[in-house]
């Protein structure tokens, strides 16, 4: 009854479909039911597989299985033969083996093609399908390399970890059943393969043990096989003892059928050790039967879920593929895409320059209102200063119009504060020192302009640093913001194009900086000549003199003008200040003490007041002139000629005929598309195959 169920046409076709699906999906993340054979090196794994399959497999003193071997056993009533292939080899063709004795040699040949002629391992499987008349059930087993701890000569130093990684890949999925091959004399709990499997199957629900080399058993073997006593493992799928062919039997070419008979005789002969052990725990036939039942049950229970996973993966991969931009293969396609990105970049910049970010401001206002609604509900009053702080922090760093205005506003403040306080007493003292220092150079009433000129140039000497600082601030800001907008609007999947256009943007901004510096320097050089046609200059003069004439000047003179006796001590002939009577303590100007200034005559005081008045009036004119002109120059060079024009330079930088080369799809994206298409095709092929047998 069981044999009929396992060997009926439907079950056999379903197993074949699962085997084919597993091969199709070998490189994808869909796990199908499978029985995986694992164990330490030289524990009799190959012998167990030979006994199960009835064919001779490669043997070696060291490592013989160097890549996964998917062994598919099929019942046939016709001629016996085998088919072997691997998807890794360059030929990738299936080879038919008519003589079963040639199977081992073909496995070795294909192993060398995949893993090399040495002793290293590979994760690429070999598929071996064997059609035999004397096997009871269709069965598929996956044999993995034995666990080796010490690398052999010519073997990778990390061979142990390589093999463990490979084993973990196969035994981790919940659909996998793990067949451990462990010698009877070994403590089952110390087996490394058992330790690995318990990490993924802690309750030991999908593990069983083929206890090899049963002829080497220790006392208490029956209890050990039942999962009782020292060195045993309680497994839901149990343990089965098998007798391996020893080397003499292999050399004598003892057949597998005769080995089955010897195995039966072994258990009869050692009846005392195995008398209390049920028959299902003894012999290779019981192992084959149990593996077939497990295989049949696992396929039936997990197959519907596998089909659903395939459907989900197809939907997911198709969605991922749809979101990958199509590769451009013509000049027209490249130009259309390129111009689209240029237009988006240009429109974004124009919006930032023109202040078209109403939507962002409204959102910010909404957030401010939202954040403060709790306070309003609690009758807390929001001050105007709180609202001001909120609105100041609203604009993003890409609001070019706003930030440019702030740079200019800061420039205006620093420049205005850089000028001296011409109305202060300290500046009057400094001016009188300069007047005194100029004594003898010209007539007393012709000293003022030279002093005004030299004094104002001192003020000008502080301006270059301030002006060029504005230029640098705008340059650095635009360099950051234009590249930020650029990266936001251009597809980053074209690295060569991105790099070339980035260079164009930076070069354009640098050129604007150079032109601006040149123009600013020209303006500062022109300001060295004191000149104005602005009537505001004289208006300032008249206003300040009017103030002095109405009282301030009188009061001032009462304080400053010394008595006749005091002034006579420093005056020379004709009332001219005698510089020889002034005490010098500075190398720049002969400094005057408060007493010496108070001793100066009223002409010098009047002259100092006139100089102060002229400097103050003229500085007001120059401040406004420089602030406006420099700000205009910066805007014209950086915004009008650079920011709003850079898209033209970007368009001209790459000829249309070169765009294909610059916009060639990156290798990673091409491979991603190809891998997705391959996966979709594999999933669809596997799904179609599976649905036919669902």
């Amino acid at each position: 009854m069981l044999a009929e169920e396992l060997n009926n046409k439907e079950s056999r076709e379903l197993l074949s479909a699962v085997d084919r699906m597993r091969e199709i999906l070998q490189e994808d993340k869909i796990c199908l039911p499978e029985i995986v054979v694992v164990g330490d090196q030289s524990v009799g794994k190959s012998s167990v597989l030979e006994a199960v399959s009835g064919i001779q497999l490669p043997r070696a003193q060291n490592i013989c299985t160097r890549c996964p071997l998917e062994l598919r056993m099929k019942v046939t009533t016709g001629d016996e033969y085998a088919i072997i292939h691997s998807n890794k080899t360059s030929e990738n063709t299936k080879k038919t083996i008519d003589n079963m004795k040639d199977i081992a040699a073909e496995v070795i040949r294909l192993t060398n093609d995949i893993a090399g002629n040495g002793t290293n391992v590979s994760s690429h499987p070999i598929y071996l399908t064997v059609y035999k008349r004397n096997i009871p059930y269709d069965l598929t087993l996956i044999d993995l390399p034995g666990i080796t701890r010490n690398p052999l000569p010519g073997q990778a130093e990390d061979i142990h970890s390589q093999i463990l990684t490979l084993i973990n890949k196969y035994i981790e999925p919940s659909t996998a059943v793990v067949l451990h091959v462990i010698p009877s004399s070994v403590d089952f709990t110390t087996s490394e393969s058992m330790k690995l499997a318990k990490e993924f199957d802690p309750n030991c629900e999908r593990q069983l043990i083929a206890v090899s080399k049963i002829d080497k058993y220790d006392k208490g073997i029956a209890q050990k096989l039942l999962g009782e006593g020292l060195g045993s493992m309680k497994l839901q799928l149990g343990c089965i003892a098998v007798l391996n062919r020893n080397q003499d039997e292999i050399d004598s070419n003892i057949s597998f059928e005769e080995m089955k008979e010897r195995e039966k005789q072994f258990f009869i002969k050692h009846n005392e050790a195995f008398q209390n052990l049920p028959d299902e725990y003894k012999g290779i036939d019981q192992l084959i039967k149990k593996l077939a039942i497990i295989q049949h049950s696992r396929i039936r229970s997990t197959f519907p879920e596998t089909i659903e996973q395939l459907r989900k993966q197809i939907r997911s991969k198709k969605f991922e593929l749809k979101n990958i931009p199509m590769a451009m293969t013509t000049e027209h396609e490249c130009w259309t895409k390129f111009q689209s990105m240029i237009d988006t970049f240009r429109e974004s910049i124009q919006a930032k320059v023109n202040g078209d970010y109403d939507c962002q401001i409204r959102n910010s206002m909404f957030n401010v209102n939202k954040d403060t609604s709790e306070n309003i509900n609690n009758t807390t009053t929001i001050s105007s200063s709180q609202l001001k702080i909120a609105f100041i922090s609203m604009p993003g760093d890409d609001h070019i119009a706003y930030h440019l205005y702030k740079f200019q506003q800061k420039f205006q403040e620093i420049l205005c504060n850089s000028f001296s306080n011409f109305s202060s007493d300290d500046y009057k003292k400094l001016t009188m020192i300069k007047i005194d220092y100029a004594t003898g150079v010209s007539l007393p009433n012709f000293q003022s302009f030279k002093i005004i000129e030299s004094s104002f140039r001192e003020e000008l000497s502080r301006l270059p640093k301030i002006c060029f600082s504005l230029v640098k601030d705008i340059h650095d800001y635009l360099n950051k913001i234009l590249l930020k907008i650029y990266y936001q609007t251009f597809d980053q999947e074209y690295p060569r194009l991105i790099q070339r256009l980035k260079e164009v943007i930076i070069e354009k901004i640098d050129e604007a900086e150079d032109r601006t510096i040149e123009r600013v320097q020209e303006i500062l050089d022109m300001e060295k000549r004191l000149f104005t046609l602005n009537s505001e200059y004289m208006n300032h003069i008249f206003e300040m003199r009017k103030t002095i004439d109405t009282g301030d000047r009188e009061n001032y003179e009462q304080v400053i003008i010394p008595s006749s006796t005091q002034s006579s001590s420093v005056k020379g002939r004709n009332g001219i200040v005698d510089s020889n009577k002034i005490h010098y303590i500075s190398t720049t100007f002969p400094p005057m003490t408060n007493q010496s200034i108070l001793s100066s005559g009223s002409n010098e005081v009047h002259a100092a007041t006139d100089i102060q008045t002229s400097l103050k009036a003229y500085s007001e004119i120059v401040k406004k002139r420089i602030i406006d002109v420099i700000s205009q120059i910066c805007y014209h060079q950086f915004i009008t000629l650079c920011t709003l024009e850079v898209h033209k330079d970007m368009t001209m930088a790459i000829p249309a005929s070169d765009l294909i080369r610059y916009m060639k799809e990156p290798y990673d994206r091409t491979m991603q598309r190809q891998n997705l298409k391959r996966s979709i095709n594999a999933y669809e092929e596997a799904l179609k195959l599976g649905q036919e047998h669902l």
Side-chain angles (χ1 to χ4, degrees):
M1 183 73 178
L2 177 63
E4 290 180 3
E5 182 180 356
L6 295 177
N7 281 330
N8 64 35
K9 182 179 179 182
E10 180 186 355
S11 296
R12 295 183 64 195
E13 287 181 349
L14 180 58
L15 175 59
S16 295
V18 170
D19 288 342
R20 176 60 186 148
M21 290 168 67
R22 187 185 302 111
E23 182 178 345
I24 293 170
L25 301 171
Q26 196 267 327
E27 296 183 8
D28 296 285
K29 296 180 179 179
I30 293 288
C31 300
L32 289 118
E34 57 192 15
I35 299 175
V36 183
V37 185
V38 296
D40 284 2
Q41 185 178 325
S42 302
V43 294
K45 210 157 44 67
S46 296
S47 295
V48 171
L49 288 172
E50 286 178 341
V52 170
S53 63
I55 60 171
Q56 186 165 329
L57 295 171
R59 287 176 173 272
Q61 190 156 11
N62 297 312
I63 184 171
C64 56
T65 304
R66 297 194 290 124
C67 52
L69 174 65
E70 186 165 318
L71 179 58
R72 304 166 179 173
M73 292 158 278
K74 307 291 183 183
V75 178
T76 185
T77 56
D79 294 336
E80 294 186 341
Y81 66 98
I83 297 175
I84 190 170
H85 76 283
S86 173
N87 296 331
K88 173 64 176 175
T89 57
S90 56
E91 297 179 0
N92 194 22
T93 55
K94 296 181 179 181
K95 182 174 182 179
T96 301
I97 306 171
D98 296 321
N99 187 347
M100 292 296 182
K101 294 180 180 179
D102 295 336
I103 288 178
E106 287 298 326
V107 171
I108 292 173
R109 178 190 64 79
L110 208 51
T111 298
N112 291 337
D113 288 345
I114 296 171
N117 293 325
T119 51
N120 287 320
V121 298
S122 171
S123 61
H124 296 282
I126 294 173
Y127 302 98
L128 176 62
T129 306
V130 178
Y131 296 87
K132 283 182 67 67
R133 289 188 292 269
N134 61 345
I135 55 177
Y137 316 104
D138 283 8
L139 184 63
T140 298
L141 302 176
I142 301 176
D143 181 27
L144 298 180
I147 300 173
T148 181
R149 292 165 183 80
N150 299 315
L152 299 170
Q155 205 168 48
E157 291 295 325
D158 62 341
I159 187 66
H160 180 248
S161 66
Q162 284 186 32
I163 293 175
L164 295 188
T165 300
L166 179 60
I167 292 174
N168 286 339
K169 174 187 173 182
Y170 277 87
I171 69 175
E172 180 180 0
S174 59
T175 53
V177 173
V178 183
L179 173 62
H180 301 274
V181 178
I182 305 175
S184 62
S185 59
V186 173
D187 185 339
F188 295 166
T189 61
T190 63
S191 168
E192 189 164 5
S193 67
M194 187 67 71
K195 293 177 182 177
L196 291 176
K198 285 198 71 175
E199 292 183 14
F200 308 112
D201 179 32
N203 296 324
C204 300
E205 296 175 348
R206 50 186 180 90
Q207 302 177 61
L208 72 159
I209 300 175
V211 182
S212 63
K213 302 180 181 181
I214 193 63
D215 52 329
K216 307 293 182 182
Y217 71 88
D218 293 329
K219 185 178 180 182
I221 185 62
Q223 287 72 27
K224 191 175 181 180
L225 292 171
L226 290 169
E228 302 169 358
L230 190 65
S232 66
M233 286 288 295
K234 193 69 176 177
L235 305 176
Q236 290 191 21
L237 298 180
C239 303
I240 298 177
V242 295
L243 182 66
N244 300 72
R245 286 196 304 173
N246 57 38
Q247 192 59 47
D248 291 338
E249 291 167 331
I250 294 172
D251 294 339
S252 301
N253 200 23
I254 301 298
S255 70
F256 297 110
E257 291 301 321
E258 186 177 342
M259 275 304 302
K260 288 182 181 180
E261 187 60 34
R262 290 188 181 190
E263 185 182 58
K264 290 178 183 178
Q265 294 301 320
F266 171 81
F267 286 116
I268 294 172
K269 182 178 179 179
H270 298 85
N271 183 50
E272 291 183 2
F274 299 97
Q275 62 181 347
N276 296 323
L277 190 67
D279 288 343
E280 59 261 31
Y281 288 84
K282 297 179 289 185
I284 195 68
D285 286 339
Q286 293 297 328
L287 177 62
I288 295 171
K289 179 180 177 180
K290 186 150 197 170
L291 291 174
I293 293 171
I294 291 171
Q295 176 181 261
H296 180 78
S297 173
R298 299 291 289 186
I299 290 175
R300 291 290 183 184
S301 63
T302 62
F303 200 62
E305 181 183 348
T306 301
I307 296 299
E308 184 57 33
Q309 286 183 10
L310 284 171
R311 292 192 181 107
K312 289 180 180 179
Q313 285 294 329
I314 290 171
R315 289 194 296 269
S316 174
K317 297 296 183 182
K318 284 186 174 180
F319 179 78
E320 189 177 348
L321 180 62
K322 184 179 178 181
N323 289 331
I324 297 179
M326 290 297 296
M328 289 175 290
T329 57
T330 67
E331 183 179 314
H332 177 71
E333 288 176 339
C334 291
W335 177 256
T336 302
K337 173 70 173 178
F338 176 68
Q339 200 57 50
S340 172
M341 293 188 290
I342 288 287
D343 290 343
T344 304
F345 177 69
R346 173 180 52 79
E347 291 166 4
S348 179
I349 286 179
Q350 286 178 341
K352 307 299 183 184
V353 170
N354 296 331
D356 295 340
Y357 28 74
D358 292 341
C359 179
Q360 295 183 32
I361 293 178
R362 285 196 296 271
N363 291 338
S364 298
M365 292 173 67
F366 173 76
N367 291 334
V368 170
N369 293 334
K370 183 178 178 182
D371 293 340
T372 57
S373 60
E374 258 183 49
N375 293 336
I376 293 174
N377 293 334
N378 295 330
T379 67
T380 302
T381 303
I382 304 173
S383 67
S384 60
S385 62
Q386 287 176 310
L387 286 176
K388 183 179 179 182
I389 291 171
F391 281 105
I392 285 175
S393 63
M394 282 193 305
D397 59 357
D398 58 352
H399 292 186
I400 298 175
Y402 172 83
H403 285 281
L404 193 65
Y405 171 75
K406 286 298 180 182
F407 283 132
Q408 294 170 339
Q409 196 176 50
K410 177 185 174 184
F411 165 66
Q412 179 185 32
E413 180 183 351
I414 295 174
L415 187 136
C416 289
N417 291 335
S418 71
F419 280 84
S420 301
N421 183 0
F422 300 110
S423 301
S424 67
D425 290 345
D426 288 339
Y427 200 83
K428 181 176 284 292
K429 295 173 187 177
L430 178 62
T431 302
M432 292 191 68
I433 291 173
K434 292 179 180 179
I435 292 172
D436 186 68
Y437 186 68
T439 300
V441 176
S442 64
L443 294 176
N445 59 330
F446 286 100
Q447 298 172 342
S448 299
F449 183 73
K450 287 190 175 294
I451 294 174
I452 291 172
E453 189 177 46
S454 63
S455 297
F456 194 77
R457 286 182 177 175
E458 290 177 11
E459 303 296 323
L460 287 177
S461 67
R462 293 192 287 273
L463 300 189
K465 182 179 179 181
I466 300 170
C467 294
F468 294 138
S469 178
L470 170 67
V471 175
K472 185 178 187 306
D473 287 344
I474 296 176
H475 169 273
D476 293 347
Y477 168 73
L478 287 179
N479 205 21
K480 180 181 77 171
I481 294 307
L482 292 189
L483 289 179
K484 177 183 176 181
I485 297 172
Y486 170 60
Y487 290 137
Q488 290 171 345
T489 54
F490 271 73
D491 194 335
Q492 300 299 303
E493 296 299 327
Y494 309 113
R496 295 185 63 194
L497 179 70
I498 292 299
Q499 181 60 34
R500 179 68 188 98
L501 295 184
K502 175 185 175 182
E503 294 169 357
V504 172
I505 293 172
I506 293 174
E507 183 179 352
K508 186 75 171 177
I509 298 172
D510 289 344
E511 288 174 356
E513 182 185 33
D514 293 340
R515 291 195 307 269
T516 306
I517 289 174
E518 186 177 345
R519 290 297 311 280
V520 168
Q521 186 61 59
E522 185 179 1
I523 295 299
L524 293 174
D525 289 342
M526 287 192 295
E527 288 296 341
K528 292 177 181 178
R529 179 199 175 207
L530 276 60
F531 176 80
T532 183
L533 293 176
N534 194 330
S535 60
E536 288 296 315
Y537 171 71
M538 291 308 301
N539 290 341
H540 284 311
I541 295 291
F542 292 147
E543 287 296 325
M544 286 185 284
R545 284 182 176 175
K546 184 177 178 181
T547 301
I548 294 172
D549 290 341
T550 56
D552 290 345
R553 188 158 183 164
E554 271 181 28
N555 295 334
Y556 190 83
E557 288 176 354
Q558 290 176 6
V559 176
I560 296 297
I561 296 176
S563 64
S564 60
T565 56
Q566 290 174 322
S567 62
S568 63
S569 62
V570 293
K571 285 185 180 180
R573 299 173 67 180
N574 300 320
I576 298 174
V577 176
D578 186 355
S579 60
N580 293 325
K581 296 184 179 180
I582 299 176
H583 182 57
Y584 286 75
I585 61 171
S586 171
T587 59
T588 305
F589 292 109
M592 300 178 67
T593 64
N594 290 341
Q595 182 63 36
S596 63
I597 292 173
L598 291 173
S599 300
S600 300
S602 60
N603 288 338
E604 288 81 352
V605 174
H606 290 170
T609 302
D610 288 341
I611 291 171
Q612 287 177 279
T613 302
S614 298
L615 286 170
K616 183 173 178 60
Y618 187 67
S619 68
E620 294 300 323
I621 300 297
V622 172
K623 286 178 190 177
K624 294 177 182 178
R625 188 162 65 197
I626 289 181
I627 289 169
D628 285 345
V629 172
I630 298 297
S631 296
Q632 283 285 71
I633 289 173
C634 287
Y635 189 93
H636 183 67
Q637 296 295 337
F638 278 115
I639 303 300
T640 305
L641 300 182
C642 175
T643 303
L644 296 176
E645 296 289 321
V646 66
H647 66 278
K648 296 179 181 178
D649 294 74
M650 295 165 68
T651 304
M652 298 294 293
I654 303 176
S657 58
D658 290 346
L659 276 176
I660 292 181
R661 182 164 52 89
Y662 276 96
M663 298 179 71
K664 183 180 179 181
E665 184 174 64
Y667 176 77
D668 291 345
R669 179 185 283 182
T670 303
M671 293 306 300
Q672 181 187 14
R673 180 185 289 104
Q674 291 178 358
N675 289 335
L676 283 172
K677 288 181 177 179
R678 182 198 56 76
S679 293
I680 291 171
N681 291 337
Y683 289 141
E684 289 180 337
E685 183 181 355
L687 178 62
K688 181 181 178 180
L689 191 61
Q691 287 175 327
E692 293 174 356
H693 300 87
L694 185 61

